[in-house]
């Protein structure tokens, strides 16, 4: 069996810059655990730790973690499921 062809991660630069340059609070999301749909603005965010932690308002699954260090921003979207950002045409 042959390995599937792939390109390096530079191929993601353009598409990600389109998505991350918009306000995600209006982006539609679906929880990876319970399937609840809504917009990012509806997530429950905890701000009393070293960063921000967002969870699903229905099942409380961890959806996003964001931590800022002096020289970086770390983002974990492990529980996000899917995100839909509508693009202006």
């Amino acid at each position: 069996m042959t390995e599937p062809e792939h390109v390096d991660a530079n191929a993601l630069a353009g598409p990600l810059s389109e998505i991350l340059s918009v306000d995600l609070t209006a982006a539609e999301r679906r929880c990876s655990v319970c399937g609840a749909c809504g917009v990012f603005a509806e997530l429950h965010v905890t701000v009393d730790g070293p960063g921000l932690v967002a969870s699903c308002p229905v099942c409380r699954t961890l959806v996003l973690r964001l931590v800022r260090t002096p020289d970086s921003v770390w983002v974990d979207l492990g529980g996000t499921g899917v995100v839909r950002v509508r693009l202006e045409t």
Side-chain angles (χ1 to χ4, degrees), residues 2 8-9 21-22 25 27 31 37 40-41 45 53 59-64 66 68 70 75 77 79 82-83 87:
T2 61
D8 69 22
S21 66
V22 299
T25 59
C31 179
C37 296
F40 259 74
V45 179
V53 177
C59 71
R60 302 290 187 228
T61 295
L62 176 73
V63 172
L64 176 146
L66 185 145
R68 180 178 289 276
V75 180
L77 298 169
V82 293
V83 176
L87 301 174

Side-chain angles (χ1 to χ4, degrees):
M1 178 182 273
T2 61
E3 291 292 318
E5 284 190 36
H6 67 275
V7 296
D8 69 22
N10 286 314
L12 295 173
L16 286 177
S17 70
E18 256 189 335
I19 293 169
L20 298 177
S21 66
V22 299
D23 179 9
L24 280 183
T25 59
E28 299 171 36
R29 54 137 193 101
R30 183 172 60 227
C31 179
S32 64
V33 174
C34 72
C37 296
V39 294
F40 259 74
E42 296 171 338
L43 295 173
H44 292 182
V45 179
T46 303
V47 297
D48 60 353
L52 303 174
V53 177
S55 59
C56 174
V58 175
C59 71
R60 302 290 187 228
T61 295
L62 176 73
V63 172
L64 176 146
R65 292 184 291 177
L66 185 145
V67 176
R68 180 178 289 276
T69 65
D71 65 350
S72 302
V73 173
W74 293 78
V75 180
D76 174 3
L77 298 169
T80 300
V82 293
V83 176
R84 179 181 183 188
V85 177
R86 294 185 184 263
L87 301 174
E88 294 183 24
T89 57

